[in-house]
Amino acid sequence: MEGILHFRVGVNQINMTGDKIDLILEGVNQYLMELAREQAEKEVSDLHQRTKEGIETARLNGRQIGQRKGTTYETRKAKAAKDIILRHNKSFGGSLTDEETMKQAGISRKSFYKYKRELRSIS
């Protein structure tokens, strides 16, 4: 019976012994898993509640929550991709096709055409 109540690292289950007591240990393991699940759900619920209260407190104090309407944010990757499109794509006087430009910039087809539309509207 020695060593029955040792927890396996990272698994949080009691080691089985190979005899009839395993029936009891299975129940204990299920109980421990249910306890862990309930605790995790409670923590998530508490976190949601605290976040909601924090946002409401900030709003009541006149703070801006999220981005202001109409503002945009451009990532470094988007800036680099647009630069490559402007310099190398045939539509902007370069020598690369759309497919080659996408590979060069390391972006998806959807992002490529979105950036291309944005660049055309600026020019």
Side-chain angles (χ1 to χ4, degrees), residues 43-68:
E43 287 178 21
V44 168
S45 174
D46 290 349
L47 179 61
H48 285 158
Q49 185 62 33
R50 286 192 306 270
T51 302
K52 185 178 174 182
E53 290 169 359
I55 289 172
E56 189 57 34
T57 301
R59 185 173 286 125
L60 291 172
N61 290 332
R63 292 238 174 127
Q64 173 68 32
I65 308 299
Q67 276 190 339
R68 294 192 186 277

Side-chain angles (χ1 to χ4, degrees), residues 27-39:
V28 171
N29 280 336
Q30 287 178 356
Y31 172 74
L32 290 173
M33 292 301 289
E34 183 63 23
L35 246 152
R37 187 186 62 75
E38 288 174 3
Q39 181 63 31

